[in-house]
Amino acid sequence: MIELKNVQKVYKTGDETVTALKNINLTIQDGEFIAIVGPSGSGKSTLLHLIGGLDKISDGEILVDGKNLQKLKDKELSHYRNKEIGFVFQDFHLQSHLTLLENVEIPLMFATGKKRKEATMQKKAKELLTLVDVGDRMNHRPAEISGGQKQRTAIARAIINKPHILLADEPTGNLDSQTGKSIIDLLKKLHKKENMTLIVVTHDREIANEAERIVEIKDGKLIESKRSEKFTR
Amino acid sequence: MYYRLAIKNLMSQRLRTFLTTLGLTVGIASLVVFTGLSAGLRQAIYTNILNNGSLTELTVQGKSGGSSLLSLIPTSQTKSHITPQNMADIEKIPHVTKVYPEMNYGNVSSLQISIVGQTFQTDTMIFGMPEEYLADTLTTPELQNEWNNATQNYPAQPYPAILSSRIIDLYNFTVAASSKLPHLTEQELTGLDLKLLPDQSTFFNSVNANTNPETAKLIGFSDKTSLIGVTLPIDVVRKMNQQLDPKYQDSYLQLYVEVDSADHTDEVQQTIDKMGLDTTSTQQQIQTFEQNFRFISLGLSMISFVILIVAGLMIANTFFSATSERKNEIGIFRALGASRTNIQMIFLTEASLLGILGGVVGIIVGLVGEFVLNIIAQKILPDVTNKPASIFLDNWLTLLGIFLLSIFLSTFFAFIPANQAAHLEPLDALNE
Ligand SMILES: Nc1ncnc2c1ncn2[C@@H]1O[C@H](COP(=O)(O)OP(=O)(O)O)[C@@H](O)[C@H]1O
Ligand SMILES: [Mg+2]
């Protein structure tokens, strides 16, 4: 369960202060699929980064399964990102000099605890690449594949450590609508199969309507948290 | 995986990797060459010193330098020779096992030899030493046998004689080179007849007297006899001195003292010094040499270290710019769960790989460089006695140390940039 209590995020750049999030209260149950919508600059990405432990809140608290993210040390927070969170970005963020297979293996490198053998790591990464339908391109580099395939690879990378929470920040933003649809289908499939909490930031109403719940943000404030049309209907 | 990642990164930046490693390679190669040269020179000099005497030997001379050329001339007043009493006293010192006296003929002489169809005459000194001592200094058992046979004939002439092996080097590189005479070898000269003309000199006319010539036969060459003269059995020289002036017959130029173990050389040397005599020892020579040599090797190493520091700064610079160029990569890695330590490790692994690369290539380049330099050196350097096969001496432990130094240096200089990279905020890095 993810609990946001009076979360505030203020950015300071020089003399300027930008309040990106104001007084956010939100509870997300395990296994939920949530869409976050809102205009550009409203604070959607910021919210996702805070939940994912990539950024620190200015006020309030975020509890994930009872853990207060603010109180975690760098090692613990890194472990949290590595094991409990999967990130999918709008512009994929694949390493251009590594093959798809190597890209997918990266999170395994940072997994603490018992050391895995390279062969085991490779086997796991191959399975996932096959699962997301790029198994036949795994020794290619990102420059040699399509945008959709890049995002599929990024998704495989996000889930290799079997996270509880999958965070996707406009995962279809750089893709045509048909490809975008297939990516959302893949995310939904994984969400169901692994019972992961799925939080997708999107501009696209149609995509948002696939979610179980839609959270709308405007100017850093949560203005609506409702069941999606599909479910209210 | 860290290493695979590091190799991929270095491979994707081949030119930069090459340039960064180049500095390190040059530094390591020069360090290999300089340490090899230091060790090689040291070895060569040791071989030379030890050829002239072992660590259990010391030489005793009269006060104010009995061995200088001027002091050998009877007109000079600086001479203070050693008496048989001195010798007897030294023999009684604990740990002294043997004392060999060296006597010189009290006047200059001339030496006539016929080689390559010509007769040469030169001024010389005549030295005398105990037969058994001289036999030991000859290089082969055959020569030693011949020496022992020849000494049986005494007092019949020709007397057995020994020359310093260095005299051939001296002849070959001065006389022969300047007057286009053929080079000579020990073998060619062994068995040569020597005509000794006591009290004859081309330089000091005042000493010329009509003394009967003596004949000698050159049995062989030795590292331990005086460079400036012919060495005969001591009894021959004693007899010649008796005829010249009885005051010389019981006065020694120097004594060779043998000590039972190298641990006692210092002690014996101090005792003799207290008797008012001058001493020199191989041990002391080596100590002085070691002190001087430390400066030479230090100087050479300093050059390498300067190159290595520059190479290290290049590495630091590379990693500093990598930190800002690779912000995005760092951000993604952080998002995927890399801790600060993980980021640091990624950078340091790359640095250590550069160190390994620079170390291996540098050592290979250094060894190849030594090989080439040695070929050149062997062509340039004269063919002297005891010339080493290589002027370089490599020791695998030193090479291992240099290799580790290479890894240490590159890791060390990458440490601050790696730390800086590790402390980037994940989002700042990701948003780049
Ligand atoms: N690192 C930052 N420094 C300063 N301001 C920021 C930073 N990141 C985001 N902001 C600001 O916070 C607000 C919310 O941004 P963001 O969460 O990216 O919006 P969205 O994802 O909804 O488009 C914007 O006004 C943006 O300019
Ligand atoms: Mg955004």
Side-chain angles (χ1 to χ4, degrees):
Chain A
M1 193 168 65
I2 305 166
E3 298 162 273
L4 288 87
K5 296 179 181 168
N6 290 319
V7 168
Q8 186 138 326
K9 177 68 190 177
V10 180
Y11 287 110
K12 287 197 185 73
T13 19
D15 304 333
E16 252 183 282
T17 58
V18 178
T19 307
L21 292 175
K22 288 170 212 152
N23 253 325
I24 304 279
N25 285 290
L26 181 65
T27 302
I28 301 165
Q29 298 299 330
D30 283 346
E32 250 193 296
F33 172 12
I34 287 197
I36 299 176
V37 294
S40 183
S42 57
K44 305 184 296 294
S45 297
T46 305
L47 184 63
L48 215 56
H49 294 153
L50 291 176
I51 294 172
L54 269 183
D55 209 350
K56 300 258 182 201
I57 58 175
S58 311
D59 204 2
E61 53 182 23
I62 299 180
L63 302 173
V64 178
D65 298 331
K67 257 193 315 255
N68 190 337
L69 294 192
Q70 254 183 305
K71 297 207 169 130
L72 298 184
K73 295 194 197 85
D74 177 68
K75 257 218 163 65
E76 296 160 333
L77 200 59
S78 302
H79 181 74
Y80 166 75
R81 286 195 296 261
N82 187 245
K83 290 298 284 185
E84 289 173 49
I85 298 289
F87 267 109
V88 178
F89 303 95
Q90 180 175 352
D91 37 13
F92 325 125
H93 286 320
L94 296 175
Q95 291 302 102
S96 60
H97 62 280
L98 301 180
T99 64
L100 304 193
L101 189 62
E102 287 162 340
N103 266 286
V104 173
E105 285 178 59
I106 292 173
L108 294 175
M109 250 175 93
F110 309 128
T112 46
K114 63 173 197 278
K115 286 276 164 245
R116 258 169 286 225
K117 277 186 196 149
E118 295 261 319
T120 329
M121 282 165 65
Q122 271 204 4
K123 190 168 164 255
K124 206 170 165 191
K126 278 180 188 167
E127 277 168 17
L128 276 182
L129 281 167
T130 311
L131 181 74
V132 300
D133 268 349
V134 281
D136 53 336
R137 314 303 297 270
M138 62 191 162
N139 290 318
H140 288 249
R141 296 189 184 214
E144 298 158 1
I145 57 171
S146 73
Q149 286 172 320
K150 282 183 198 171
Q151 198 59 297
R152 286 167 179 278
T153 307
I155 290 169
R157 184 181 65 183
I159 61 171
I160 193 155
N161 275 332
K162 288 189 182 295
H164 304 309
I165 304 163
L166 189 56
L167 306 175
D169 193 350
E170 308 201 28
T172 60
N174 279 358
L175 305 171
D176 60 68
S177 61
Q178 206 184 330
T179 315
K181 180 82 175 58
S182 78
I183 291 297
I184 293 299
D185 287 345
L186 175 61
L187 288 174
K188 269 171 66 185
K189 185 175 118 190
L190 292 169
H191 154 70
K192 285 229 177 64
K193 187 169 164 254
E194 308 285 337
N195 196 30
M196 281 186 287
T197 307
L198 175 61
I199 306 176
V200 179
V201 165
T202 183
H203 268 116
D204 192 328
R205 271 284 153 190
E206 217 174 300
I207 291 173
N209 284 337
E210 302 273 329
E212 296 160 5
R213 187 148 63 114
I214 298 175
V215 171
E216 192 166 349
I217 296 180
K218 208 170 199 168
D219 293 332
K221 279 182 281 195
L222 204 151
I223 56 165
E224 233 181 330
S225 175
K226 61 172 186 191
R227 307 291 294 176
S228 81
E229 284 170 26
K230 210 169 154 183
F231 291 87
T232 48
R233 228 185 297 147
Chain B
M1 183 73 188
Y2 277 103
Y3 274 98
R4 199 139 56 86
L5 196 70
I7 290 168
K8 287 261 176 177
N9 268 328
L10 296 176
M11 293 282 278
S12 69
Q13 297 269 355
R14 262 172 232 172
L15 183 65
R16 170 185 282 180
T17 304
F18 171 75
L19 289 176
T20 313
T21 318
L22 190 66
L24 197 58
T25 303
V26 171
I28 292 296
S30 71
L31 196 59
V32 169
V33 169
F34 288 150
T35 52
L37 185 64
S38 291
L41 288 179
R42 194 156 170 266
Q43 168 95 348
I45 292 169
Y46 261 73
T47 312
N48 256 296
I49 293 177
L50 287 175
N51 255 315
N52 288 332
S54 75
L55 295 174
T56 54
E57 261 181 37
L58 43 94
T59 312
V60 181
Q61 285 151 355
K63 207 68 189 162
S64 59
S67 70
S68 96
L69 186 56
L70 269 183
S71 70
L72 297 172
I73 294 156
T75 49
S76 160
Q77 297 303 307
T78 59
K79 175 165 95 176
S80 137
H81 272 190
I82 298 163
T83 62
Q85 185 57 48
N86 291 144
M87 181 167 158
D89 290 345
I90 290 170
E91 277 172 330
K92 276 185 224 130
I93 295 174
H95 306 299
V96 170
T97 51
K98 201 84 185 141
V99 180
Y100 297 105
E102 180 172 21
M103 181 180 271
N104 66 303
Y105 179 60
N107 201 357
V108 258
S109 311
S110 282
L111 169 67
Q112 243 181 37
I113 48 170
S114 298
I115 37 168
V116 290
Q118 277 176 290
T119 301
F120 295 89
Q121 181 164 340
T122 173
D123 279 23
T124 189
M125 297 297 304
I126 296 171
F127 299 97
M129 293 195 69
E131 290 153 21
E132 70 273 21
Y133 179 87
L134 291 174
D136 279 350
T137 71
L138 289 168
T139 46
T140 66
E142 291 75 34
L143 290 176
Q144 289 177 359
N145 257 337
E146 205 181 328
W147 173 267
N148 290 333
N149 291 338
T151 52
Q152 316 264 303
N153 295 333
Y154 174 78
Q157 294 187 28
Y159 307 125
I162 291 178
L163 285 178
S164 165
S165 37
R166 267 143 234 268
I167 196 84
I168 296 191
D169 292 340
L170 202 64
Y171 164 84
N172 283 341
F173 292 103
T174 56
V175 184
S178 61
S179 52
K180 300 222 161 65
L181 288 168
H183 277 224
L184 294 174
T185 63
E186 287 189 8
Q187 284 89 332
E188 282 171 335
L189 292 177
T190 304
L192 194 73
D193 286 325
L194 309 174
K195 194 168 174 191
L196 295 167
L197 307 166
D199 314 320
Q200 302 279 323
S201 171
T202 30
F203 303 120
F204 305 98
N205 282 322
S206 60
V207 301
N208 287 351
N210 283 322
T211 321
N212 290 333
E214 315 260 359
T215 59
K217 187 179 172 204
L218 182 58
I219 303 292
F221 292 83
S222 158
D223 276 337
K224 297 199 175 186
T225 56
S226 176
L227 175 67
I228 52 167
V230 180
T231 303
L232 306 175
I234 195 162
D235 292 339
V236 176
V237 180
R238 189 176 280 125
K239 191 196 74 185
M240 287 167 71
N241 272 334
Q242 261 166 17
Q243 287 163 3
L244 176 73
D245 183 338
K247 82 175 180 206
Y248 292 126
Q249 72 182 358
D250 279 323
S251 116
Y252 301 125
L253 178 65
Q254 48 189 7
L255 302 176
Y256 294 92
V257 178
E258 278 182 7
V259 181
D260 57 5
S261 98
D263 296 340
H264 297 131
T265 311
D266 254 0
E267 187 188 322
V268 171
Q269 189 168 9
Q270 280 166 24
T271 313
I272 300 174
D273 282 340
K274 280 192 202 116
M275 294 167 61
L277 296 165
D278 278 346
T279 53
T280 54
S281 69
T282 306
Q283 213 172 54
Q284 198 181 41
Q285 271 178 27
I286 286 179
Q287 281 160 7
T288 316
F289 162 71
E290 278 291 328
Q291 277 164 12
N292 296 333
F293 200 74
R294 213 161 291 156
F295 285 105
I296 299 175
S297 13
L298 205 68
L300 289 175
S301 307
M302 285 306 278
I303 299 173
S304 303
F305 276 114
V306 168
I307 302 175
L308 283 174
I309 295 297
V310 172
L313 292 174
M314 270 169 73
I315 288 171
N317 180 54
T318 302
F319 280 98
F320 268 124
S321 48
T323 304
S324 53
E325 279 167 33
R326 286 161 64 182
K327 269 191 178 173
N328 186 258
E329 177 188 337
I330 296 165
I332 297 159
F333 282 8
R334 293 284 273 152
L336 297 176
S339 64
R340 293 202 173 117
T341 319
N342 290 142
I343 298 292
Q344 211 170 38
M345 282 298 294
I346 288 172
F347 275 67
L348 292 182
T349 305
E350 273 179 46
S352 71
L353 270 184
L354 285 183
I356 291 172
L357 193 67
V360 169
V361 178
I363 287 173
I364 292 171
V365 169
L367 292 178
V368 170
E370 284 186 356
F371 183 77
V372 173
L373 287 174
N374 188 49
I375 290 175
I376 298 170
Q378 298 291 351
K379 285 207 175 116
I380 294 173
L381 292 176
D383 263 327
V384 295
T385 331
N386 296 330
K387 181 183 174 183
S390 174
I391 56 170
F392 298 100
L393 184 71
D394 296 302
N395 164 318
W396 70 266
L397 215 62
T398 311
L399 293 181
L400 181 70
I402 291 173
F403 177 67
L404 294 179
L405 178 75
S406 176
I407 299 174
F408 169 78
L409 271 183
S410 59
T411 316
F412 178 82
F413 278 96
F415 199 82
I416 294 172
N419 203 42
Q420 195 189 45
H423 278 87
L424 283 174
E425 286 304 325
L427 261 193
D428 290 347
L430 201 57
N431 288 337
E432 275 299 306

